[in-house]
Amino acid sequence: MEVQTDPLKVFIVHAHPEEKSFCAAMQRVAVEEFERQGHEVRVSDLYAMKFNPVASKADFNNPSNPHYCSYALEQRHGVATGTISEDIQEELEKLLWCDLLVLNFPIFWFSTPAILKGWIDRVLVSGKIYGGRRFYDFGGLAGKRVLVNVTIGGQEHMFNPDGVHGPLQLLLSHLLRGTLAYTGLQVLSPFIAWHVPYISHNARCEILTTFKKRLASIGSDTPLEFQSLNNFDENMRPIASRGNLFLF
């Protein structure tokens, strides 16, 4: 059953080097389905854009300290003064614009492709997205949601709790918790396309059908639970009278 929601502003960040890949097909299906629902969609195809993943001094056109680069501090200065690199500013504007962020990528070594990691390093800027007590439910992206879509060569049973690799969500905790939840995003359960290089065309079509159904009901998704800063004192020590939750 499709859940009707108010129109959303959806920002899809796609990171796959092959435009004919199943991962790319998922990205196209996501655009079509969200637009069919009446949502506004913007896409950053990082490989097609030739997005620069390397965080460096070149990101700052008017550094506060030209003699030593403290990257996080220069991010704050660059955003505050409007002198940060143009490609970062453009991505940051899309990120702040959206209600729903969608990350679409293949699993590389239980992680993201390097180009997506570079997007994270450069675009999730200190001062605006995180910094000081600005993290978890107090993060700069609080109130927004994120859906992670991944393709993987492994079979689903290999990622069961007693499987050879253990749960994929646990292996991705560096992204789901350490990056996305940390910045304040409400993290939805990832959509995982299993074993895609080795299955039949019909099996891939079934995955896309399941994916469409997931996107059609995105408004009813319950986010994963992470820590709240309300459970900690000003020194980030747990408040004994309040429960503390560590999902991953």
Side-chain angles (χ1 to χ4, degrees), residues 111-131:
S111 188
T112 66
I115 198 168
L116 179 55
K117 179 56 167 65
W119 183 91
I120 289 169
D121 291 346
R122 298 181 70 223
V123 177
L124 302 187
V125 293
S126 178
K128 190 72 173 179
I129 307 301
Y130 75 97

Side-chain angles (χ1 to χ4, degrees), residues 22-23 36 126 170 211:
F22 184 80
C23 191
R36 187 191 67 80
S126 178
L170 180 61
F211 184 46

Side-chain angles (χ1 to χ4, degrees), residues 133 227-239 242 244 246:
R133 290 179 62 89
Q227 197 54 267
S228 170
L229 292 195
N230 291 321
N231 296 329
F232 295 82
D233 64 21
E234 64 275 8
N235 295 314
M236 290 298 143
R237 296 184 183 278
I239 299 173
R242 300 178 185 175
N244 292 303
F246 294 91

Side-chain angles (χ1 to χ4, degrees), residues 33-158:
E33 181 59 28
F34 282 130
E35 289 183 342
R36 187 191 67 80
Q37 295 177 43
H39 304 316
E40 185 178 354
V41 183
R42 298 181 184 177
V43 177
S44 285
D45 182 338
L46 300 185
Y47 282 96
M49 295 162 57
K50 295 182 171 55
F51 183 80
N52 174 20
V54 180
S56 72
K57 295 179 182 180
D59 292 340
F60 312 111
N61 296 318
N62 184 28
S64 60
N65 184 349
H67 306 293
Y68 182 88
C69 181
S70 174
Y71 195 80
L73 295 180
E74 292 296 350
Q75 283 183 321
R76 298 185 189 189
H77 174 75
V79 171
T81 59
T83 59
I84 202 163
S85 176
E86 183 178 355
D87 62 338
I88 296 176
Q89 184 61 43
E90 289 175 354
E91 294 301 294
L92 180 60
E93 288 174 359
K94 286 181 274 190
L95 180 61
L96 297 176
W97 163 85
C98 75
D99 302 306
L100 173 65
L101 171 66
V102 177
L103 301 182
N104 194 75
F105 61 93
I107 295 291
F108 286 3
W109 291 104
F110 296 136
S111 188
T112 66
I115 198 168
L116 179 55
K117 179 56 167 65
W119 183 91
I120 289 169
D121 291 346
R122 298 181 70 223
V123 177
L124 302 187
V125 293
S126 178
K128 190 72 173 179
I129 307 301
Y130 75 97
R133 290 179 62 89
R134 186 185 290 262
F135 58 100
Y136 290 124
D137 47 344
F138 287 73
L141 298 179
K144 302 176 184 292
R145 295 186 296 163
V146 60
L147 173 64
V148 172
N149 305 324
V150 301
T151 57
I152 190 167
Q155 299 180 69
E156 187 171 4
H157 70 267
M158 299 166 69

